[in-house]
Amino acid sequence: MIEISGLTKNFGGTPVLNRIDLSVAPGERIVVIGPSGTGKSTLLRCLNFLDRPDAGTIRLNGMTVDAAKATKAEILAVRRRTAFVFQNYALFANKTARQNITEALVTVQKRPRAEAEARADEILREIGLAEKAGSYPAALSGGQQQRVGIGRAMALDAELMLFDEPTSALDPEWVGEVLDLMRKVAQARQTMLIVTHEMQFAREIADRVIFMEGGRIVEQGPPSQIFDAPQDARTRDFLRRVG
Amino acid sequence: MRALDLDYMLGLVPVILGYVPLTLGMALAAMAFALVLASLMAVERVVKIPVLDSFVKLFISFFRGTPLLVQLFLFYYGLPQVVSALAQINGVTAAIMGLTLHFAAYMAESIRAAILGVDRSQWEASQAVGMTQGQMMARIVLPQAARVAAPTLVNYFIDMIKGTSLAFTLGVTEMMGATQKEAAGSFLYFEAFLVVAVLYWIIVEALSLLQRGVEIRLNRAYAR
Ligand SMILES: Nc1ncnc2c1ncn2[C@@H]1O[C@H](COP(=O)(O)OP(=O)(O)OP(=O)(O)O)[C@@H](O)[C@H]1O
Ligand SMILES: [Mg+2]
């Protein structure tokens, strides 16, 4: 069980996250939607301490962290139990596809290199890029880079996988293959928190959809409720605008 | 105008070549120490450790702001008078020390700029997978920064090779010192210094060739 309570973040005095409460059950797949600038990315980044929350607690299966006062060790512990997939892929530019996957297993998790490499090869097959193992990110298409980005996150065996608009930076031709891979991850009942504008995808794989606006959770529920019978006027308004 | 004494010049070449190992040795040693020191200072300047940061800034400012020759004299003739442990310092050690500190100050600034040039996404991805700051620097940021800084660092190495000629003022018989002695015996100053100039020139040109090779290699890296 992952429990977030009172998570708050201000940028220059402006509240961007306003006392967010959220519980995530093991294996639950949550999609976060909402207009631009409402704090969706900030929520994910605060959960991984890429942005430092101003208040709130993060409880990750038994470990409770006071987000504002988190120590270096606590921050590392949280990061080691979560995985992050970035909008712009953010693959290590000086590492091959395979090394991108093994890097954290060896450096952070201290697993033997041979074991890490075996795991990477397994993942490369799963993401359909076994033949690109030795390629550097610069030589991969956007879709391939993002598949490696997801593979790198998969390898960590994290308790929670965070996706920040993983298909938004992609040319339309590559969106399908990345969504297919995410479906595969979802089918394995990986706990996921996904920010996306892909409504059809959300409807398909989400156990719960969260609509955020102005740094707050306005409405949440199963996709059928949020998409077909939204209760809040702001949700209806947003869905009408994104079509 | 008189004719050049070509026989004398040809005879001088092997004599001066005998001092190339000392010249290159001093430059290589100073370069190795300077690279380590400069990287440490560059990383410090980026992460900014309180108190230490002011000291590093002062260090860089001093060694960039004063002439290398003055620094060499300070180490060789000055320091032994106040620090008794350095009383036995020899010219080679003082020259390597001076070159190291002087060039480390410059190299720290180039490496720092290269570190700051590494895309923010690289830092964030390293943090997101749970790396410590040290792991992030060693595994992801510095290797990428090194690629950007490499051509500049080779330029500093070239400057350093030329800078070793100042060691003769500390009584070191390296290429320049040897030439000076030869010339003082033969009075053929023009011939002697022309020979040593050409030898420095050839060494530097060879390095420039190497530098271009390295640059081509570096540009190819990360792109297959
Ligand atoms: N580092 C920062 N410094 C200052 N303001 C920031 C920073 N990061 C985000 N913000 C502001 O916080 C607000 C929320 O940003 P955030 O990126 O979380 O929105 P979002 O919901 O992810 O939007 P989008 O759909 O456009 O990605 C925005 O108004 C943004 O300008
Ligand atoms: Mg965003």
Side-chain angles (χ1 to χ4, degrees):
Chain A
M1 197 71 173
I2 296 154
E3 275 177 274
I4 298 146
S5 58
L7 200 67
T8 298
K9 175 72 186 172
N10 304 301
F11 279 119
T14 317
V16 172
L17 286 185
N18 208 330
R19 303 173 56 79
I20 299 274
D21 296 322
L22 177 65
S23 307
V24 186
E28 195 178 9
R29 292 144 307 189
I30 299 180
V31 168
V32 180
I33 59 171
S36 185
T38 49
K40 306 181 299 294
S41 297
T42 307
L43 170 63
L44 262 48
R45 293 170 57 84
C46 279
L47 289 179
N48 206 9
F49 288 95
L50 288 176
D51 286 330
R52 185 61 178 258
D54 293 317
T57 58
I58 298 171
R59 186 170 304 153
L60 265 175
N61 302 334
M63 179 181 67
T64 305
V65 178
D66 180 340
K69 300 199 193 84
T71 62
K72 261 190 193 159
E74 284 174 327
I75 290 173
L76 285 182
V78 170
R79 285 178 178 161
R80 284 167 189 184
R81 295 167 68 165
T82 55
F84 205 104
V85 176
F86 294 86
Q87 181 171 354
N88 62 358
Y89 337 127
L91 296 183
F92 302 129
N94 60 327
K95 306 276 175 194
T96 63
R98 190 170 184 244
Q99 289 167 340
N100 262 275
I101 299 171
T102 57
E103 180 59 37
L105 302 185
V106 175
T107 310
V108 178
Q109 299 185 352
K110 310 287 181 207
R111 285 159 64 169
R113 178 162 295 281
E115 184 189 316
E117 285 174 351
R119 178 83 176 113
D121 291 336
E122 197 180 304
I123 297 235
L124 283 164
R125 277 194 298 277
E126 239 175 294
I127 65 178
L129 288 174
E131 79 286 2
K132 295 288 184 186
S135 299
Y136 285 91
L140 299 175
S141 74
Q144 291 170 334
Q145 288 189 58
Q146 192 58 296
R147 279 148 65 196
V148 174
I150 294 170
R152 175 174 69 181
M154 287 161 71
L156 298 173
D157 292 318
E159 286 161 41
L160 174 64
M161 254 169 102
L162 304 162
F163 294 77
D164 190 7
E165 300 200 30
T167 58
S168 296
L170 292 172
D171 287 339
E173 51 185 320
W174 310 123
V175 171
E177 64 186 43
V178 170
L179 291 180
D180 282 344
L181 177 56
M182 288 173 65
R183 277 187 194 97
K184 229 163 128 178
V185 177
Q187 273 153 19
R189 297 217 64 89
Q190 162 74 50
T191 314
M192 300 161 91
L193 189 55
I194 306 165
V195 175
T196 184
H197 293 299
E198 298 287 338
M199 299 301 166
Q200 185 50 43
F201 172 78
R203 189 188 275 274
E204 248 175 77
I205 66 110
D207 300 304
R208 180 165 31 141
V209 177
I210 290 178
F211 173 70
M212 267 183 80
E213 195 181 86
R216 295 173 193 272
I217 294 177
V218 170
E219 183 172 358
Q220 54 182 312
S224 56
Q225 178 198 318
I226 299 296
F227 292 122
D228 301 330
Q231 306 294 302
D232 196 286
R234 288 167 289 180
T235 317
R236 281 197 292 274
D237 204 45
F238 171 74
L239 289 170
R240 193 173 327 111
R241 271 185 287 120
V242 299
Chain B
M1 208 170 137
R2 64 174 173 83
L4 283 181
D5 188 338
L6 287 176
D7 284 345
Y8 173 73
M9 289 171 73
L10 281 175
L12 201 53
V13 170
V15 177
I16 301 177
L17 279 181
Y19 294 91
V20 168
L22 179 59
T23 288
L24 284 185
M26 286 195 293
L28 277 170
M31 186 68 184
F33 291 133
L35 270 178
V36 174
L37 182 60
S39 303
L40 290 174
M41 290 197 295
V43 169
E44 191 294 317
R45 291 287 291 120
V46 170
V47 303
K48 291 199 176 31
I49 301 163
V51 186
L52 187 59
D53 193 50
S54 316
F55 180 77
V56 170
K57 262 162 56 181
L58 188 71
F59 177 97
I60 291 175
S61 167
F62 177 80
F63 281 98
R64 279 165 43 117
T66 51
L68 177 56
L69 186 60
V70 175
Q71 293 164 12
L72 291 176
F73 275 36
L74 203 54
F75 285 125
Y76 186 64
Y77 298 109
L79 267 191
Q81 294 189 339
V82 288
V83 185
S84 51
L86 291 178
Q88 299 301 316
I89 195 168
N90 67 37
V92 173
T93 311
I96 291 174
M97 230 169 97
L99 289 167
T100 297
L101 300 183
H102 182 81
F103 282 94
Y106 281 95
M107 285 159 50
E109 289 295 276
S110 331
I111 297 175
R112 182 176 86 107
I115 289 174
L116 293 176
V118 173
D119 198 85
R120 219 173 96 92
S121 69
Q122 300 293 307
W123 302 63
E124 293 198 335
S126 314
Q127 291 167 341
V129 299
M131 288 190 198
T132 62
Q133 205 160 32
Q135 290 169 337
M136 170 177 73
M137 282 293 168
R139 310 277 313 163
I140 307 299
V141 176
L142 279 178
Q144 294 186 42
R147 200 164 82 96
V148 176
T152 319
L153 296 179
V154 176
N155 279 339
Y156 283 128
F157 183 54
I158 287 172
D159 281 352
M160 214 178 235
I161 290 173
K162 292 185 285 186
T164 57
S165 63
L166 293 175
F168 102 93
T169 62
L170 311 185
V172 178
T173 309
E174 37 62 70
M175 285 169 67
M176 180 63 190
T179 310
Q180 168 76 16
K181 279 182 187 162
E182 292 293 329
S186 65
F187 296 107
L188 293 172
Y189 288 101
F190 186 75
E191 279 86 347
F193 289 126
L194 187 59
V195 167
V196 79
V198 168
L199 289 179
Y200 276 118
W201 188 16
I202 290 172
I203 293 172
V204 168
E205 276 304 310
L207 261 170
S208 304
L209 270 180
L210 190 80
Q211 181 179 24
R212 276 192 287 280
V214 167
E215 267 174 57
I216 292 168
R217 278 272 297 277
L218 288 175
N219 286 335
R220 261 206 310 254
Y222 309 166
R224 75 185 140 84

